[in-house]
Amino acid sequence: MNTWVIARNTFGDALRKRVLLIFLLLAFVMLTLALLLNYFTAREQSTIFKSTQLVIILIFGALISITTAVFLIPNEIERRTIYSVLSKPIQRWEFFLGKFLGGALTVGFMVGLMSIALMLVLFVLAAKPPTGATVEMAQNTAQSVDIKGWMSRGLNDILLVLRGTVVIYFQLVIVTAIATTLSLFLTPTVNFSVTAFIWIVGSLQWLVAALAHQNKQGFVLIPLLANGFYYLVPHFHDFNIMGSIVHPEVPVAVNHWAYAGMVSVYGVLYAGLVLLAGTLAFDRKEL
Amino acid sequence: MAPAIRAEGLTKKFFQRGEVVAVDHLNIEVADGEIFGFLGPNGAGKTTTIKMLLGLIFADEGTAEVLGYPAGAQEMRRVVSYLPENPYFYDHLTGEELLDFYGRLFGLDAAERGKRVQGLMELVGLKNDKAKQLKQYSKGMMQRIGIAQALINDPKLLIFDEPTSGLDPVAHIEIRNLIESLREKGKTIFLSSHQLSDVELVCDRISIMNFGKLVKMGRVDDLLAEGRTEVVAAGVNGDLAGRLEARGAAVSQDNGKMIITVESEDEVNHVVDAVRSANGRIVSVVPLKRSLEEIFVETVGAAGPHRRIGTMNQLTQD
């Protein structure tokens, strides 16, 4: 109960942060600019548009989640609001989880807004005829577009974006948990850099894995470090389902939604472990 | 009845370029229902002590109990309230929303919260500003809302850290009156303040800390009376003044009357006897009350060197 009270208050506070609104605005500007990709065929345009937009949502989502989380607890200590809250009958773990949950809600709200904007644009673009048609042809046939086909393509695109957004969000839940926990030990600036580094390394796990398994001649330290990163850093690379979203027609062995569900569960479990460590650290933190 | 606060050997050390003992084996007992002034210069260890009592930081040695619960226990925090120094609250909330937020942390239901919030906004004089966001509140209003949040749970013990700091004289008096009215309601108040005139007026007992150590504790009346006595005599013959000065009394003349100031009660009896044996007449015997400020300066000064503000001369010489 107390966790939810803290989360709600954190969400309300975070939404008024100017820096987050600037990130959101920039993301919308980028989303709009991607609409200018009109020198490709309709098919190419749709493919490039979807992949670019999802990457924009991911990058701005990561920026928003790190920027929100690194300040969640340090701001409370600096502004001394934490003293009047923790002197009330609230457990420290409730406060810590409440702050994280508030941050995760903020990220979810921002990512949700960007994703709804993308869905709307894709739905409008779905009015264009399908594969093979040039922009010119599409314009010529725009008047005779088949409403049923439009709806079907539009809905399909919305579901694809929804799946992409869910996976992006759970990836960002891990990022938020890491930044919130590290904020107990690091200053916001250092925490921002460390969390961003972890996110980048985690997104390049294929490269880390290659380094870990390379021939151990030469520098022994590199495979050693790569192994450490491989097992400790979350596998953000596994959250990359861009291929299946951009090319839904390519048959794959796994069910897309089942895979999205699996990586989301991984996200929740990993975030849970990080938060458990954070809760234990916060319980004995001197304020 | 168990004391409201009891600390035994409470010690806190910090490690910043070496070990600093912020609170050094503090023994303190605050009785139920009293207003206890907790004084000391900046850096004396007052806020550190308060934080240990609330469980915001942890003692290295010693124990503390608050209202019979171990310091920092969740049950304790249900019946205790705290107003931090220069409080800052979530400024995106209105005054009313802030109190509602704290009410939720105590698990109060919506009806009870609504009733208490309205009552407290009225009590602290913010009834007409309850819908304003806190970012629009003045310092005085923030202090009032701070007191209101400290009362949301109808606490038995209130811990106030500089509740009148930075307030204008009118707001200052209002807050002081509010503190006195809380005593009438049977609340125990632990008041850390630099406003010695307030402490002198409202506190039953005080303690003075310096360099983490408790250097003085006692009833305000006793401490203020603990001083000199002035004996005024008339018609004194002979060389009485010289004899009294030889015993350590300060003697002066005013309009034919002799004013004798002595340091102890025993000396008062001796002076009275001496005046009478010199065929003099006792006009008055008045204990000279000291101010808390004098006691504070004396106590803190006697405890050892402390940080002092230099003079303009020093500045120009440097």
Side-chain angles (χ1 to χ4, degrees):
Chain A
M1 180 60 188
N2 278 340
T3 302
W4 179 240
V5 175
I6 299 293
R8 229 175 55 153
N9 185 52
T10 305
F11 178 63
D13 195 15
L15 284 189
R16 284 162 180 82
K17 295 268 181 296
R18 242 173 238 160
V19 63
L20 297 190
L21 297 177
I22 290 169
F23 280 147
L24 190 66
L25 192 71
L26 277 174
F28 280 123
V29 169
M30 301 284 276
L31 289 170
T32 314
L33 284 177
L35 274 171
L36 303 175
L37 299 164
N38 59 358
Y39 44 85
F40 298 103
T41 63
R43 170 71 201 150
E44 284 168 344
Q45 185 183 353
S46 168
T47 304
I48 294 169
F49 183 72
K50 270 187 254 174
S51 57
T52 322
Q53 300 291 36
L54 285 171
V55 168
I56 289 172
I57 292 178
L58 176 62
I59 291 173
F60 278 93
L63 279 174
I64 288 170
S65 67
I66 300 175
T67 311
T68 305
V70 297
F71 288 110
L72 284 176
I73 290 173
N75 264 3
E76 289 270 352
I77 295 171
E78 197 190 319
R79 299 188 307 189
R80 289 187 277 194
T81 42
I82 199 166
Y83 300 137
S84 51
V85 174
L86 287 184
S87 58
K88 307 284 185 277
I90 172 173
Q91 301 278 12
R92 285 189 173 208
W93 65 263
E94 291 177 312
F95 180 81
F96 182 75
L97 289 186
K99 293 306 290 181
F100 159 76
L101 197 60
L105 279 175
T106 309
V107 174
F109 181 74
M110 299 282 188
V111 168
L113 282 181
M114 290 188 274
S115 154
I116 288 169
L118 173 58
M119 286 175 190
L120 285 175
V121 174
L122 280 176
F123 188 76
V124 172
L125 287 179
K128 287 180 181 176
T131 43
T134 60
V135 173
E136 200 179 323
M137 282 166 67
Q139 281 164 350
N140 292 339
T141 55
Q143 309 239 322
S144 58
V145 84
D146 141 46
I147 299 288
K148 206 174 162 191
W150 175 14
M151 290 298 147
S152 160
R153 287 191 301 275
L155 192 65
N156 199 35
D157 279 348
I158 285 175
L159 284 174
L160 287 175
V161 172
L162 185 65
R163 182 154 54 86
T165 308
V166 167
V167 171
I168 286 174
Y169 179 65
F170 281 101
Q171 178 174 182
L172 298 179
V173 165
I174 301 181
V175 173
T176 309
I178 291 172
T180 309
T181 298
L182 289 180
S183 75
L184 301 176
F185 313 100
L186 306 174
T187 62
T189 319
V190 176
N191 188 2
F192 187 96
S193 314
V194 172
T195 309
F197 175 74
I198 290 172
W199 179 59
I200 291 165
V201 169
S203 302
L204 299 173
Q205 281 290 25
W206 55 272
L207 179 63
V208 175
L211 286 171
H213 295 105
Q214 76 172 15
N215 192 330
K216 292 184 181 170
Q217 287 172 344
F219 290 112
V220 183
L221 199 62
I222 292 174
L224 205 69
L225 275 175
N227 258 315
F229 280 131
Y230 187 79
Y231 288 109
L232 284 176
V233 173
H235 288 210
F236 291 123
H237 175 68
D238 294 343
F239 287 80
N240 186 354
I241 57 166
M242 225 65 91
S244 70
I245 289 171
V246 176
H247 300 289
E249 71 286 356
V250 179
V252 285
V254 292
N255 176 300
H256 292 310
W257 278 101
Y259 184 78
M262 270 167 52
V263 289
S264 302
V265 169
Y266 169 81
V268 170
L269 289 177
Y270 198 101
L273 280 176
V274 173
L275 291 173
L276 180 67
T279 304
L280 293 173
F282 188 61
D283 200 47
R284 294 302 296 172
K285 186 172 172 65
E286 304 244 305
L287 299 167
Chain B
M1 189 178 281
I5 297 175
R6 185 205 314 240
E8 281 173 16
L10 205 61
T11 302
K12 182 69 195 172
K13 296 168 187 165
F14 291 115
F15 297 90
Q16 289 169 334
R17 293 187 207 125
E19 186 181 277
V20 177
V21 184
V23 177
D24 193 356
H25 296 91
L26 176 70
N27 295 311
I28 205 168
E29 208 169 279
V30 177
D32 195 49
E34 75 174 335
I35 302 186
F36 187 88
F38 195 48
L39 314 179
N42 292 332
K46 304 185 300 292
T47 302
T48 304
T49 304
I50 291 174
K51 284 183 175 181
M52 282 193 280
L53 294 176
L54 292 165
L56 296 169
I57 57 174
F58 309 100
D60 292 313
E61 284 175 47
T63 56
E65 278 184 8
V66 179
L67 296 169
Y69 300 107
Q74 200 186 3
E75 298 80 9
M76 175 216 99
R77 284 179 278 135
R78 286 202 174 279
V79 283
V80 172
S81 259
Y82 173 48
L83 173 67
E85 186 180 0
N86 298 321
Y88 184 99
F89 300 109
Y90 301 106
D91 61 8
H92 67 281
L93 300 178
T94 64
E96 203 172 19
E97 286 168 347
L98 183 85
L99 296 190
D100 186 73
F101 166 74
Y102 287 117
R104 282 173 193 269
L105 294 180
F106 281 99
L108 302 176
D109 62 46
E112 185 60 28
R113 281 202 311 274
K115 208 171 83 183
R116 289 197 192 182
V117 168
Q118 297 314 318
L120 286 171
M121 290 306 269
E122 197 165 342
L123 179 76
V124 298
L126 292 173
K127 196 180 166 190
N128 297 328
D129 302 295
K130 63 184 180 186
K132 273 189 192 166
Q133 274 191 317
L134 261 57
K135 64 176 76 160
Q136 295 170 281
Y137 274 27
S138 66
K139 188 169 170 56
M141 289 160 86
M142 286 297 266
Q143 207 77 13
R144 285 160 191 256
I145 199 77
I147 290 180
Q149 65 81 30
L151 293 170
I152 192 80
N153 58 328
D154 192 19
K156 289 182 183 165
L157 167 69
L158 292 111
I159 298 177
F160 286 157
D161 199 353
E162 297 291 348
T164 51
S165 147
L167 295 182
D168 65 57
V170 176
H172 192 122
I173 291 168
E174 283 174 359
I175 299 288
R176 199 173 64 202
N177 291 342
L178 182 65
I179 291 173
E180 282 189 308
S181 74
L182 291 169
R183 185 218 321 252
E184 284 158 21
K185 288 180 184 164
K187 312 284 184 199
T188 306
I189 297 170
F190 189 77
L191 176 66
S192 168
S193 178
H194 285 135
Q195 301 291 334
L196 299 178
S197 54
D198 288 346
V199 172
E200 194 175 324
L201 277 172
V202 302
C203 288
D204 302 306
R205 286 198 308 140
I206 60 153
S207 67
I208 300 176
M209 281 189 85
N210 199 23
F211 291 113
K213 290 188 175 176
L214 185 70
V215 286
K216 193 162 225 139
M217 182 156 72
R219 293 196 57 78
V220 175
D221 291 342
D222 295 344
L223 291 172
L224 296 181
E226 181 188 278
R228 297 161 300 166
T229 305
E230 188 183 81
V231 180
V232 179
V236 179
N237 298 322
D239 185 27
L240 181 64
R243 278 186 286 131
L244 292 176
E245 277 172 345
R247 285 182 67 100
V251 181
S252 60
Q253 300 286 337
D254 182 29
N255 285 334
K257 287 176 186 163
M258 184 180 280
I259 299 164
I260 309 139
T261 309
V262 292
E263 296 290 339
S264 70
E265 276 182 31
D266 292 343
E267 279 303 301
V268 174
N269 290 330
H270 175 81
V271 168
V272 169
D273 291 345
V275 168
R276 282 179 179 152
S277 62
N279 296 323
R281 180 167 55 86
I282 299 293
V283 176
S284 65
V285 178
V286 181
L288 291 179
K289 258 195 154 186
R290 295 188 301 167
S291 70
L292 190 54
E293 193 174 79
E294 280 177 286
I295 295 170
F296 181 84
V297 172
E298 252 178 50
T299 310
V300 170
H306 56 281
R307 284 176 286 278
R308 285 194 183 129
I309 296 172
T311 61
M312 283 304 289
N313 284 344
Q314 282 175 317
L315 188 67
T316 47
Q317 278 164 14
D318 291 342

